[in-house]
Amino acid sequence: MAKRTLLVLAVAMIAVLAWLALRSVGHHRDTAAPFAAHQAKGADPSNRQPSDQCPKVGGVLTFARSADVTDWYYNLDNPSISAWPLVNLPLVRNNIDATAVEGMAATSWDANGDATVFTFHLRPGLRFSNGAALTSADVLDSFSRNYADPRSTLKSRIPQAVFEAPDPATFVIKLAHGYPAFVEQQLPGVGIYPKGSEPQAMMNAPVSAGPFVLASWRKGQGARLVRNPYYWNQPYPCVDEVRLTVVGDSATQAIQLRAGQVDVVQDPLPSQLVELGRAPHIRIQVFPTLAGSLIRLQRVTQPAFADLNVRKAMNYAIDKQAIAKVVFFGTAKAMDSEAPRTKFYAPQAPYAYDLGKARALMAQSRYPHGFQTELLIASGDPVEGGIATIVKYQLAKIGIAVKILQVEAGTKFQLRGAKRFEMFLASTSADQIDPEGYWEFCCAEGFGFDSAWTDYHNPEMVRLFAEAKRASGARRAELFAHMQKIGWDDAAQLYLVFVDAPIAMRDRVHGYRSTPTRHLYLETVYLDP
């Protein structure tokens, strides 16, 4: 991109920011825990000593978040999903790099040849945070209640299932038909609670066996978590306490971080990174994620988006490198697949910025003179505002006049669900390592969402996805690679950037690692006094 054009975009971006501111699955041995040590003994916390795993013990970690947990049981929104592992213990969880699942309550597990029977072998000596023994009877009851709960999505996401506990250390799940990705796709978010625990109670005061215990919670303001002395993976967690504090304004988060009122800011604005990085006692770390930004195109409300030449022209007309540089300050890269950067991710040839090719494609379309459309974004969001400014500026060069519609974030998602949009700026991510659920949502017309409410329909994609759900190993990888190419060649959406996660923290914080799925695993964090 020419320097003059980049300067124009930067100036436009600054203006927008200022304006917004004013508006203000086989046999698995235990991969558990890359930091596994010993079984929990429920020792007196006052007797804890530093170790290789926890060079320093004790202290309070204060963690600033933009939004609060909705509840501690159901895993239905991003703030809840990310904090859920702090207090809940599943059979397995995604490992720290999101490359595989690792054992938590289960030390190992087996699947039969057709992936219909899964047998889990529990760790010896497991205890809940109240000190009570955890056995397969608790696992059986937890799964049975979750499966029967009309508010839970588990039953709708898996084949018909039967749960069994043949002995205190063994739990078995039998499915009506094969599901090779079952463990990776469905189990990391199913918690284990004492037999008889009602989901309604666990929403607000969970008793589980995660690394921390919910000591208090002021909904909308934050939560206080204390170390679970019965956690299976001793000597973790290293700190005595975690305080999740809700600070909705990014500028206020930065002020509190500089003042030492909080130790970690999870989502600093990209525009804050340079200033925060120069502040004393603060450091910035950037972690890979499974997240991305793209624009979803609704083909019914805007018929122009049903034209392949239009969609390809739009993709060539947008300079993703400019977005990565101007909006994300270098913490993003051009998207090269609609799939997240996880298992079976298969990069495609990027839609590199090429204005000449974009204009030629528009000339070949049914809309050679362009058209008018609308882009729906969240009001007050400087990142979305910055992206929208660049998109509007660059699509105008191929005759597409974009009107930016800013609405409150909740209203934005309501309009998406009703398909009352033409272009929708989406921030995407994946919670599972296996991409099956993500792909069914985005591209294969699943869950009743019509390919993320865009009405994108490709019969070959649907056929291949149905096969992929039953496939395993090399064939499954081949199918997902093929589907990614189909969607990419269709220019199904307007692809922008993959986004990394900058984390700002005080220099007293050590051992912090951010998972690509953005789950909070804080066991290894330790603090200077």
Side-chain angles (χ1 to χ4, degrees):
M1 169 180 270
K3 290 183 178 179
R4 184 175 180 275
T5 301
L6 189 58
L7 178 61
V8 171
L9 291 174
V11 171
M13 173 67 180
I14 291 169
V16 168
L17 291 175
W19 182 76
L20 288 170
L22 289 173
R23 288 180 60 89
S24 359
V25 183
H27 178 74
H28 300 255
R29 294 312 302 168
D30 184 9
T31 55
F35 14 86
H38 340 260
Q39 290 298 109
K41 297 180 181 178
D44 182 349
S46 64
N47 293 331
R48 289 204 296 149
Q49 298 296 322
S51 62
D52 290 342
Q53 294 88 356
C54 293
K56 297 179 182 179
V57 297
V60 177
L61 176 72
T62 304
F63 198 102
R65 310 180 77 211
S66 299
D68 197 11
V69 171
T70 300
D71 73 78
W72 297 88
Y73 181 84
Y74 284 107
N75 265 326
L76 296 179
D77 58 75
N78 288 335
S80 302
I81 290 168
S82 65
W84 188 91
L86 293 173
V87 299
N88 294 289
L89 186 74
L91 287 169
V92 301
R93 75 175 182 183
N94 302 330
N95 68 8
I96 193 70
D97 299 316
T99 56
V101 289
E102 61 187 15
M104 295 301 284
T107 188
S108 64
W109 57 98
D110 311 88
N112 67 347
D114 61 358
T116 58
V117 180
F118 298 83
T119 303
F120 298 86
H121 310 284
L122 303 186
R123 297 181 182 281
L126 286 172
R127 290 186 177 275
F128 288 109
S129 57
N130 61 6
L134 187 163
T135 73
S136 62
D138 301 294
V139 184
L140 173 62
D141 185 72
S142 298
F143 269 77
S144 298
R145 288 175 184 273
N146 195 314
Y147 187 73
D149 186 349
R151 186 172 175 182
S152 170
T153 61
L154 180 63
K155 188 172 185 177
S156 66
R157 291 185 280 109
I158 67 174
Q160 184 176 351
V162 174
F163 309 112
E164 298 176 355
D167 63 64
T170 308
F171 176 62
V172 179
I173 301 176
K174 296 179 178 179
L175 302 179
H177 61 75
Y179 191 172
F182 175 64
V183 175
E184 291 179 335
Q185 188 69 35
Q186 303 298 345
L187 298 190
V190 181
I192 301 170
Y193 310 92
K195 184 177 179 180
S197 298
E198 293 290 346
Q200 188 70 27
M202 297 301 99
M203 290 173 61
N204 300 308
V207 177
S208 190
F212 295 94
V213 182
L214 181 61
S216 62
W217 179 32
R218 300 181 67 182
K219 195 167 185 178
Q221 298 181 48
R224 175 174 169 262
L225 313 178
V226 297
R227 183 180 185 274
N228 177 10
Y230 298 101
Y231 185 50
W232 70 268
N233 195 14
Q234 294 293 308
Y236 301 112
C238 301
V239 300
D240 289 336
E241 186 176 320
V242 172
R243 294 177 184 171
L244 302 179
T245 179
V246 177
V247 184
D249 178 67
S250 296
T252 303
Q253 289 183 5
I255 291 170
Q256 292 186 358
L257 183 67
R258 284 194 290 261
Q261 295 173 284
V262 300
D263 296 304
V264 180
V265 169
Q266 187 178 20
D267 296 302
L269 291 174
S271 57
Q272 297 174 328
L273 297 180
V274 173
E275 182 181 356
L276 283 174
R278 291 172 178 166
H281 306 297
I282 293 175
R283 69 175 182 275
I284 308 293
Q285 288 183 253
V286 180
F287 296 90
T289 75
L290 306 183
S293 288
L294 56 80
I295 293 176
R296 300 203 184 278
L297 307 175
Q298 222 305 317
R299 289 144 174 79
V300 176
T301 56
Q302 177 48 268
F305 297 149
D307 189 311
L308 176 60
N309 284 322
V310 167
R311 299 195 305 271
K312 285 190 171 183
M314 293 170 68
N315 272 282
Y316 281 116
I318 302 301
D319 189 340
K320 292 83 175 175
Q321 300 299 337
I323 291 174
K325 183 175 182 179
V326 174
V327 180
F328 291 96
F329 289 74
T331 61
K333 60 169 287 188
M335 187 176 281
D336 54 11
S337 173
E338 188 160 349
R341 295 173 292 180
T342 183
K343 194 173 185 180
F344 307 134
Y345 161 60
Q348 309 296 307
Y351 284 100
Y353 178 63
D354 190 328
L355 185 56
K357 183 177 290 188
R359 285 171 170 164
L361 286 163
M362 282 297 292
Q364 297 169 32
S365 76
R366 289 173 295 181
Y367 303 85
H369 304 298
F371 56 92
Q372 295 182 346
T373 187
E374 298 174 344
L375 173 57
L376 187 63
I377 69 170
S379 60
D381 187 319
V383 171
E384 292 202 7
I387 293 173
T389 299
I390 292 177
V391 168
K392 175 183 174 73
Y393 173 79
Q394 295 191 317
L395 289 184
K397 294 183 177 182
I398 58 172
I400 300 175
V402 177
K403 179 182 179 181
I404 299 173
L405 297 180
Q406 299 191 66
V407 298
E408 187 272 331
T411 302
K412 176 187 171 187
F413 288 105
Q414 290 174 0
L415 292 172
R416 179 191 66 174
K419 296 184 182 178
R420 291 171 55 192
F421 70 94
E422 296 184 12
M423 302 169 71
F424 179 95
L425 182 51
S427 297
T428 69
S429 190
D431 305 319
Q432 299 90 14
I433 293 168
D434 188 278
E436 179 180 304
Y438 183 90
W439 201 257
E440 185 167 5
F441 164 76
C442 79
C443 312
E445 305 178 48
F447 308 118
F449 295 153
D450 300 319
S451 297
W453 301 278
T454 65
D455 288 309
Y456 169 66
H457 175 65
N458 185 306
E460 180 70 358
M461 181 82 79
V462 174
R463 184 189 69 79
L464 291 173
F465 183 75
E467 181 183 350
K469 293 185 74 169
R470 303 288 183 93
S472 59
R475 179 57 179 163
R476 187 174 175 84
E478 178 185 331
L479 288 166
F480 271 103
H482 191 180
M483 288 187 290
Q484 287 172 73
K485 179 170 174 49
I486 289 173
W488 196 255
D489 290 348
D490 269 351
Q493 312 300 337
L494 180 47
Y495 303 114
L496 302 176
V497 292
F498 285 133
V499 181
D500 289 329
I503 307 292
M505 65 191 81
R506 302 286 298 180
D507 59 9
R508 69 188 291 257
V509 178
H510 305 279
Y512 182 93
R513 296 183 68 187
S514 179
T515 67
T517 55
R518 305 306 304 276
H519 291 100
L520 294 179
Y521 296 170
L522 301 179
E523 302 100 296
T524 59
V525 172
Y526 61 95
L527 303 171
D528 291 335

